[in-house]
């Protein structure tokens, strides 16, 4: 149901009137720029760049176009049969539902993953974990690697590593049954021949044997930040975000489990973190994995984002 205030907001927009015109159908180019205006004004986008990106994501999705096709079609009329879908999508976005849930897909490392409100929306900075894992794998020259993804969500990390590594054995864990349904669906479409074995459970407890690579993007948002979040963040599953009072609740339970599941001779752990969690993460690694080396890597915005732990070697 679209609340009446959203309906009336939308029906008063020039965009709605242009779309309704029988005599002069709006062009795709005009619709694109009007959608951008609506998103800038009401859609909760943080800046012009985000408004531009989201309007292109929405129109390529609705028209089933690639970006090149979209820009080649700016003068063509916007198809009348897509009008209601466009207005419904805008109504959802005005209520701060994230664009990736509206389109139902999110790109990650060059592949499109299905996402919905059962899973966290993959973020671009998480791709750095993949780059690091692949670089390490190349250096080790191992014939086959056992890989674990803890807190798999939509399955992006596990599925990407299953595709990018040479013949790995990939296991993925999540505590959320709903998330595992989405991840399995994505794996069926995208994981290829190697596949991924999914486990429902708490952190590393469902895993058996030793792993060469363990990657985890676990919840690390501070409780206070979550409680203040009224917008897009509030639409994502709380269990994917909630890191407790300090943000460390989940990560600090995983670190003591690592000694039992990692290959003691040579292995790699990559943990995505929030920048203020760098120091407590280092302290916990030093306490629970005394022989390991830990370094903190920055993301493309220069913020401390990944704890890289090298064991043995
Ligand atoms: C921030 S999301 C990351 C999802 C995905 N890895 C990504 O990067 O897009 C965190 C995920 O960890 C899962 N999770 C939270 N607590 C967990 C626990 N104790 N054991 C296993 N998974 C957990 C959540 O259900 C959620 O899917």
């Amino acid at each position: 149901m679209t609340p009446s205030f959203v309906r009336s907001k939308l029906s008063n927009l020039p965009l709605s009137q242009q779309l309704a015109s029988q005599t002069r159908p709006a062009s795709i180019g005009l619709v694109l720029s009007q959608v951008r205006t609506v998103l800038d004004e009401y859609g909760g986008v943080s800046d012009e760049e985000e408004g531009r990106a989201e309007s292109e994501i929405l129109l390529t999705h609705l028209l089933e176009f690639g970006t090149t096709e979209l820009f080649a079609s700016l003068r063509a009329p916007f198809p009348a049969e897509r009008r209601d879908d466009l207005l419904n999508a805008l109504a959802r976005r005005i209520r701060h539902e994230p664009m990736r849930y509206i389109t139902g897909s999110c790109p990650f490392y060059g592949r499109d993953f299905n996402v919905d409100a059962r899973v966290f929306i993959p973020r671009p900075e998480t791709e750095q974990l993949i780059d690091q894992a692949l670089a390490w794998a190349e250096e080790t020259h191992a014939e086959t690697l056992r890989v674990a993804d803890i807190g798999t969500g939509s399955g992006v990390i596990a599925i990407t590593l299953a595709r990018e590594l040479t013949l790995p054995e990939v296991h993925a864990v999540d505590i959320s049954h709903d998330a595992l349904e989405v991840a399995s669906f994505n794996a069926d479409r995208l994981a290829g021949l190697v596949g991924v074995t999914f486990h429902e459970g708490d952190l590393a407890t469902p895993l058996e044997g030793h792993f060469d690579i363990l990657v985890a993007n676990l919840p690390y948002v501070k409780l206070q930040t979550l409680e203040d979040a009224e917008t897009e963040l509030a639409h994502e599953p709380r269990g994917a975000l909630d890191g407790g009072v300090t943000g460390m609740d989940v990560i600090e339970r995983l670190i003591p489990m690592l000694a039992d599941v990692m290959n003691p001779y040579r292995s790699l752990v990559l943990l995505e973190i929030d920048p203020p969690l760098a120091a407590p993460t280092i302290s916990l690694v030093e306490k629970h994995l005394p022989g390991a080396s830990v370094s903190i890597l920055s993301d493309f915005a220069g913020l401390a984002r990944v704890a890289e732990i090298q064991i043995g070697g």
Side-chain angles (χ1 to χ4, degrees), residues 19 21-22 47 49 59 75 77 86 94 100 109 134 146 152 181 196 200 240 248 254 259 268 276 285 292 300 310:
L19 285 170
S21 164
Q22 305 291 329
D47 54 32
E49 176 54 28
L59 283 219
R75 287 165 191 265
L86 173 64
I94 285 174
R100 297 301 185 183
Y109 221 82
L134 295 182
R146 295 195 81 220
T152 196
E181 282 181 357
V196 175
E200 187 173 335
M248 279 297 283
L254 175 67
L268 174 76
V285 172
F300 43 73
Q310 310 242 16

Short mmCIF file of all heavy atoms in Angstrom, two decimals, residues 19 21-22 47 49 59 75 77 86 94 100 109 134 146 152 181 196 200 240 248 254 259 268 276 285 292 300 310:
data_model
loop_
_atom_site.label_atom_id
_atom_site.label_comp_id
_atom_site.label_asym_id
_atom_site.label_seq_id
_atom_site.Cartn_x
_atom_site.Cartn_y
_atom_site.Cartn_z
N LEU A 19 4.07 11.68 -17.72
CA LEU A 19 3.87 10.27 -18.04
C LEU A 19 2.43 9.98 -18.45
O LEU A 19 2.17 9.08 -19.23
CB LEU A 19 4.24 9.40 -16.83
CG LEU A 19 5.73 9.23 -16.55
CD1 LEU A 19 5.93 8.57 -15.20
CD2 LEU A 19 6.39 8.40 -17.63
N SER A 21 0.48 11.99 -20.10
CA SER A 21 0.07 12.68 -21.33
C SER A 21 -0.09 11.69 -22.48
O SER A 21 0.81 10.91 -22.79
CB SER A 21 1.12 13.74 -21.68
OG SER A 21 0.93 14.13 -23.02
N GLN A 22 -1.27 11.72 -23.11
CA GLN A 22 -1.53 10.83 -24.25
C GLN A 22 -0.97 11.45 -25.52
O GLN A 22 -0.57 10.75 -26.44
CB GLN A 22 -3.05 10.63 -24.45
CG GLN A 22 -3.79 10.12 -23.23
CD GLN A 22 -3.40 8.68 -22.89
OE1 GLN A 22 -3.09 7.89 -23.78
NE2 GLN A 22 -3.41 8.34 -21.61
N ASP A 47 23.86 12.71 -2.33
CA ASP A 47 24.39 13.80 -3.16
C ASP A 47 23.93 13.61 -4.59
O ASP A 47 23.27 12.62 -4.93
CB ASP A 47 25.92 13.87 -3.06
CG ASP A 47 26.57 12.53 -3.41
OD1 ASP A 47 26.02 11.79 -4.25
OD2 ASP A 47 27.62 12.23 -2.83
N GLU A 49 25.56 12.88 -7.25
CA GLU A 49 26.15 11.71 -7.89
C GLU A 49 25.30 10.46 -7.59
O GLU A 49 25.03 9.64 -8.47
CB GLU A 49 27.60 11.56 -7.37
CG GLU A 49 28.37 10.35 -7.83
CD GLU A 49 28.41 10.20 -9.36
OE1 GLU A 49 28.33 11.22 -10.08
OE2 GLU A 49 28.50 9.05 -9.80
N LEU A 59 16.10 3.08 -14.17
CA LEU A 59 15.61 3.01 -15.55
C LEU A 59 16.19 1.81 -16.31
O LEU A 59 15.47 1.17 -17.07
CB LEU A 59 15.90 4.31 -16.30
CG LEU A 59 15.00 5.50 -15.98
CD1 LEU A 59 14.66 6.29 -17.23
CD2 LEU A 59 13.72 5.14 -15.28
N ARG A 75 16.06 9.58 -26.71
CA ARG A 75 14.98 10.28 -27.45
C ARG A 75 13.74 9.41 -27.65
O ARG A 75 12.70 9.89 -28.06
CB ARG A 75 15.47 10.68 -28.84
CG ARG A 75 16.45 11.83 -28.80
CD ARG A 75 17.16 11.92 -30.15
NE ARG A 75 18.27 12.82 -30.07
CZ ARG A 75 18.19 14.10 -30.41
NH1 ARG A 75 17.07 14.61 -30.86
NH2 ARG A 75 19.25 14.88 -30.30
N PRO A 77 10.36 7.23 -26.85
CA PRO A 77 9.32 7.45 -25.83
C PRO A 77 9.44 6.45 -24.69
O PRO A 77 9.78 5.29 -24.92
CB PRO A 77 8.00 7.24 -26.59
CG PRO A 77 8.36 6.56 -27.86
CD PRO A 77 9.82 6.76 -28.13
N LEU A 86 7.20 2.38 -12.71
CA LEU A 86 8.09 3.50 -12.36
C LEU A 86 7.53 4.26 -11.15
O LEU A 86 8.26 4.53 -10.19
CB LEU A 86 8.23 4.44 -13.57
CG LEU A 86 9.00 5.73 -13.30
CD1 LEU A 86 10.45 5.45 -12.92
CD2 LEU A 86 8.97 6.65 -14.52
N ILE A 94 10.79 6.85 -2.10
CA ILE A 94 10.48 8.04 -1.28
C ILE A 94 10.28 7.64 0.18
O ILE A 94 10.54 8.41 1.10
CB ILE A 94 9.22 8.76 -1.86
CG1 ILE A 94 9.61 9.50 -3.13
CG2 ILE A 94 8.61 9.72 -0.85
CD1 ILE A 94 8.46 10.11 -3.88
N ARG A 100 18.40 -0.94 -4.18
CA ARG A 100 18.75 -2.32 -4.54
C ARG A 100 17.65 -3.30 -4.18
O ARG A 100 17.52 -4.35 -4.82
CB ARG A 100 20.06 -2.74 -3.87
CG ARG A 100 21.27 -1.92 -4.31
CD ARG A 100 21.51 -2.03 -5.79
NE ARG A 100 22.73 -1.35 -6.21
CZ ARG A 100 23.12 -1.24 -7.47
NH1 ARG A 100 22.38 -1.73 -8.44
NH2 ARG A 100 24.23 -0.63 -7.77
N TYR A 109 31.58 -7.61 -7.72
CA TYR A 109 32.72 -8.20 -8.43
C TYR A 109 32.31 -8.68 -9.84
O TYR A 109 32.65 -9.78 -10.26
CB TYR A 109 33.32 -9.34 -7.61
CG TYR A 109 34.84 -9.33 -7.64
CD1 TYR A 109 35.56 -8.50 -6.78
CD2 TYR A 109 35.55 -10.13 -8.53
CE1 TYR A 109 36.95 -8.47 -6.80
CE2 TYR A 109 36.94 -10.11 -8.55
CZ TYR A 109 37.63 -9.28 -7.69
OH TYR A 109 39.02 -9.25 -7.72
N LEU A 134 42.37 -13.23 -3.27
CA LEU A 134 42.89 -13.73 -4.55
C LEU A 134 44.40 -13.51 -4.64
O LEU A 134 45.14 -14.39 -5.11
CB LEU A 134 42.19 -13.04 -5.73
CG LEU A 134 40.69 -13.33 -5.88
CD1 LEU A 134 40.13 -12.63 -7.12
CD2 LEU A 134 40.40 -14.82 -5.95
N ARG A 146 40.82 -24.58 0.93
CA ARG A 146 39.55 -24.65 1.65
C ARG A 146 39.22 -23.23 2.12
O ARG A 146 40.03 -22.58 2.79
CB ARG A 146 39.63 -25.59 2.85
CG ARG A 146 39.86 -27.04 2.46
CD ARG A 146 39.56 -27.97 3.64
NE ARG A 146 38.15 -28.23 3.80
CZ ARG A 146 37.52 -28.30 4.98
NH1 ARG A 146 38.20 -28.11 6.11
NH2 ARG A 146 36.22 -28.54 5.06
N THR A 152 27.44 -15.06 5.51
CA THR A 152 27.49 -14.97 4.04
C THR A 152 26.43 -14.05 3.45
O THR A 152 26.59 -13.54 2.35
CB THR A 152 27.42 -16.39 3.43
OG1 THR A 152 27.82 -16.34 2.07
CG2 THR A 152 26.02 -16.99 3.52
N GLU A 181 18.55 -18.81 2.27
CA GLU A 181 17.69 -19.09 1.12
C GLU A 181 18.11 -18.21 -0.06
O GLU A 181 18.18 -18.68 -1.20
CB GLU A 181 16.22 -18.81 1.48
CG GLU A 181 15.62 -19.94 2.28
CD GLU A 181 14.15 -19.70 2.62
OE1 GLU A 181 13.60 -18.63 2.28
OE2 GLU A 181 13.58 -20.60 3.25
N VAL A 196 28.96 -24.07 -3.63
CA VAL A 196 29.24 -23.63 -2.25
C VAL A 196 28.42 -24.52 -1.33
O VAL A 196 27.27 -24.82 -1.62
CB VAL A 196 28.79 -22.16 -2.06
CG1 VAL A 196 28.94 -21.72 -0.61
CG2 VAL A 196 29.57 -21.21 -2.97
N GLU A 200 23.86 -23.54 8.32
CA GLU A 200 23.12 -22.60 9.18
C GLU A 200 23.68 -22.74 10.60
O GLU A 200 23.72 -23.86 11.13
CB GLU A 200 21.63 -22.95 9.15
CG GLU A 200 20.77 -21.93 9.88
CD GLU A 200 19.28 -22.20 9.68
OE1 GLU A 200 18.88 -22.81 8.66
OE2 GLU A 200 18.52 -21.81 10.58
N ALA A 240 21.96 -8.36 10.51
CA ALA A 240 23.11 -8.22 9.61
C ALA A 240 23.95 -7.01 9.98
O ALA A 240 25.06 -6.84 9.47
CB ALA A 240 22.62 -8.09 8.17
N MET A 248 31.60 -4.39 18.39
CA MET A 248 32.52 -5.55 18.38
C MET A 248 31.86 -6.88 18.77
O MET A 248 32.52 -7.91 18.75
CB MET A 248 33.68 -5.32 19.36
CG MET A 248 34.81 -4.46 18.86
SD MET A 248 35.67 -5.18 17.45
CE MET A 248 36.68 -6.43 18.24
N LEU A 254 34.09 -14.24 17.23
CA LEU A 254 34.70 -15.06 16.17
C LEU A 254 36.20 -15.26 16.41
O LEU A 254 36.72 -16.37 16.22
CB LEU A 254 34.49 -14.40 14.79
CG LEU A 254 35.20 -15.12 13.63
CD1 LEU A 254 34.58 -16.51 13.38
CD2 LEU A 254 35.16 -14.30 12.35
N ALA A 259 41.71 -20.08 16.00
CA ALA A 259 42.84 -21.01 16.19
C ALA A 259 42.42 -22.44 15.86
O ALA A 259 43.22 -23.23 15.35
CB ALA A 259 43.36 -20.91 17.62
N LEU A 268 45.05 -17.54 5.96
CA LEU A 268 44.73 -16.11 5.91
C LEU A 268 43.32 -15.87 6.42
O LEU A 268 42.39 -16.58 6.01
CB LEU A 268 44.80 -15.63 4.45
CG LEU A 268 44.36 -14.20 4.18
CD1 LEU A 268 45.45 -13.21 4.62
CD2 LEU A 268 44.06 -13.99 2.69
N PRO A 276 36.79 2.50 13.75
CA PRO A 276 37.13 2.54 15.18
C PRO A 276 37.41 1.16 15.79
O PRO A 276 37.89 1.08 16.93
CB PRO A 276 35.89 3.16 15.83
CG PRO A 276 35.11 3.77 14.73
CD PRO A 276 35.44 3.00 13.49
N VAL A 285 43.33 -10.25 18.35
CA VAL A 285 44.14 -11.19 17.56
C VAL A 285 45.43 -11.49 18.31
O VAL A 285 45.85 -12.65 18.41
CB VAL A 285 44.42 -10.60 16.15
CG1 VAL A 285 45.42 -11.49 15.40
CG2 VAL A 285 43.13 -10.47 15.36
N ALA A 292 50.40 -15.05 15.11
CA ALA A 292 49.93 -14.51 13.82
C ALA A 292 50.38 -13.05 13.64
O ALA A 292 50.67 -12.37 14.61
CB ALA A 292 48.41 -14.58 13.78
N PHE A 300 38.94 2.42 -0.27
CA PHE A 300 39.25 3.46 -1.27
C PHE A 300 38.98 4.87 -0.74
O PHE A 300 39.43 5.84 -1.31
CB PHE A 300 38.54 3.20 -2.61
CG PHE A 300 37.10 2.77 -2.46
CD1 PHE A 300 36.12 3.65 -2.08
CD2 PHE A 300 36.74 1.43 -2.70
CE1 PHE A 300 34.80 3.25 -1.94
CE2 PHE A 300 35.42 1.02 -2.55
CZ PHE A 300 34.45 1.94 -2.17
N GLN A 310 47.59 -13.07 9.10
CA GLN A 310 48.35 -14.15 8.46
C GLN A 310 48.80 -15.11 9.55
O GLN A 310 49.45 -14.70 10.52
CB GLN A 310 49.58 -13.60 7.77
CG GLN A 310 49.29 -12.43 6.86
CD GLN A 310 49.62 -12.73 5.39
OE1 GLN A 310 49.80 -13.90 5.02
NE2 GLN A 310 49.71 -11.71 4.59
#
